[in-house]
Amino acid sequence: MSLRVPIGISGVAGAGKDLFFNLLSKKTGVRRFALADQLKHECNQWCYDQYDIEPVDCTREEKEQIRELLVFHGVFKRKLSNGRHWINKLTPAINAFLINAQTQDVPVVTDIRYQEYEKDEVYWLKNELNGVLVHVSQYQNKDGKRVWKEPVNSEESRQDPILKNHADFVIEWEKIKCDNPEENEYLIQKVEEFTAWYNEKNANKK
């Protein structure tokens, strides 16, 4: 990937957004950014004081225990700012990274979750960062039918169909049971399909 066109990843929790990023990182130079990291840092001290849990460094089980609290705080700040609070916190870091001539790594925002307000996360990614949106969904085959990974809360249930509709590239992959999914040929092929599309799209911009 030669041009540094930012990539955003959307999809419900557990669908494989982080897996997609990890597989992508094995194919090309990328740097991870996350809107939720800003949320975790903002809530970190309070959660530690009240629950002895640090959102920035906790287990998956601990994260589930405080998920509703984090969602509430994140949504409340979004309402106060028409969806811009977390965007405004992360944008300076991404812009600084993009003007860094020492690297050609592509910034990847691993948690695009909203297109609710006029200039929300999808708008920001596509119109302010001039990036592309990938939507990831995961299914299991049960009795010959695809059973899709379901949203974990009402926010995901409400927003995920909108995000998929706005996606520039859609990945639908089966849940694979293996010790190391990052070495699974089926999953690797899915990411290679994206990189081929991304490279072709960027080549047309030159």
Side-chain angles (χ1 to χ4, degrees):
M1 292 195 276
S2 56
L3 294 181
R4 300 177 70 196
V5 175
I7 299 167
I9 309 174
S10 61
V12 302
K17 297 188 294 296
D18 288 334
L19 175 59
F20 174 82
F21 173 81
N22 291 339
L23 288 166
L24 185 63
S25 71
K26 295 179 181 295
K27 297 295 179 181
T28 189
V30 289
R31 179 73 61 84
R32 177 189 176 278
F33 293 88
L35 292 156
D37 286 350
Q38 309 302 310
L39 167 61
K40 292 173 185 176
H41 281 288
E42 196 165 289
C43 296
N44 195 62
Q45 187 61 51
W46 192 89
C47 286
Y48 179 74
D49 292 341
Q50 300 296 321
Y51 307 124
D52 198 27
I53 296 175
E54 296 183 83
V56 299
D57 184 23
C58 65
T59 66
R60 181 176 292 273
E61 291 74 18
E62 289 173 330
K63 184 179 178 181
E64 287 302 318
Q65 292 175 356
I66 59 173
R67 180 184 292 276
E68 290 186 11
L69 184 148
L70 295 175
V71 170
F72 172 81
H73 181 69
V75 170
F76 191 80
K77 286 290 191 177
R78 282 176 44 77
K79 288 180 179 178
L80 292 177
S81 61
N82 290 326
R84 298 294 298 191
H85 180 80
W86 308 111
I87 291 171
N88 292 340
K89 280 183 168 288
L90 185 58
T91 297
I94 293 180
N95 286 341
F97 180 73
L98 285 170
I99 64 174
N100 181 1
Q102 303 302 312
T103 179
Q104 288 301 307
D105 288 358
V106 175
V108 179
V109 183
T110 59
D111 58 348
I112 300 295
R113 291 191 173 99
Y114 287 96
Q115 184 52 43
E116 183 175 17
Y117 299 98
E118 181 182 0
K119 296 184 177 181
D120 216 324
E121 294 173 10
V122 173
Y123 177 93
W124 166 69
L125 172 70
K126 292 190 174 189
N127 295 280
E128 297 177 28
L129 298 181
N130 296 313
V132 296
L133 178 65
V134 181
H135 184 275
V136 178
S137 52
Q138 183 191 84
Y139 65 90
Q140 296 185 62
N141 274 313
K142 294 185 178 180
D143 299 325
K145 296 182 179 179
R146 290 185 174 183
V147 179
W148 296 95
K149 182 74 175 179
E150 295 184 354
V152 297
N153 54 47
S154 61
E155 290 295 297
E156 282 195 351
S157 180
R158 186 168 56 87
Q159 285 294 308
D160 192 62
I162 298 172
L163 295 168
K164 189 171 185 177
N165 186 56
H166 281 282
D168 300 293
F169 193 91
V170 172
I171 290 180
E172 297 178 340
W173 54 18
E174 185 177 1
K175 183 176 182 179
I176 301 297
K177 295 181 179 179
C178 59
D179 293 333
N180 192 349
E182 293 179 20
E183 294 182 359
N184 182 271
E185 290 299 324
Y186 164 76
L187 299 175
I188 291 171
Q189 177 61 35
K190 288 288 188 177
V191 174
E192 288 177 344
E193 291 171 4
F194 166 76
T195 57
W197 170 87
Y198 181 95
N199 289 332
E200 181 179 359
K201 181 179 178 65
N202 291 341
N204 293 333
K205 289 184 177 181
K206 295 181 180 179

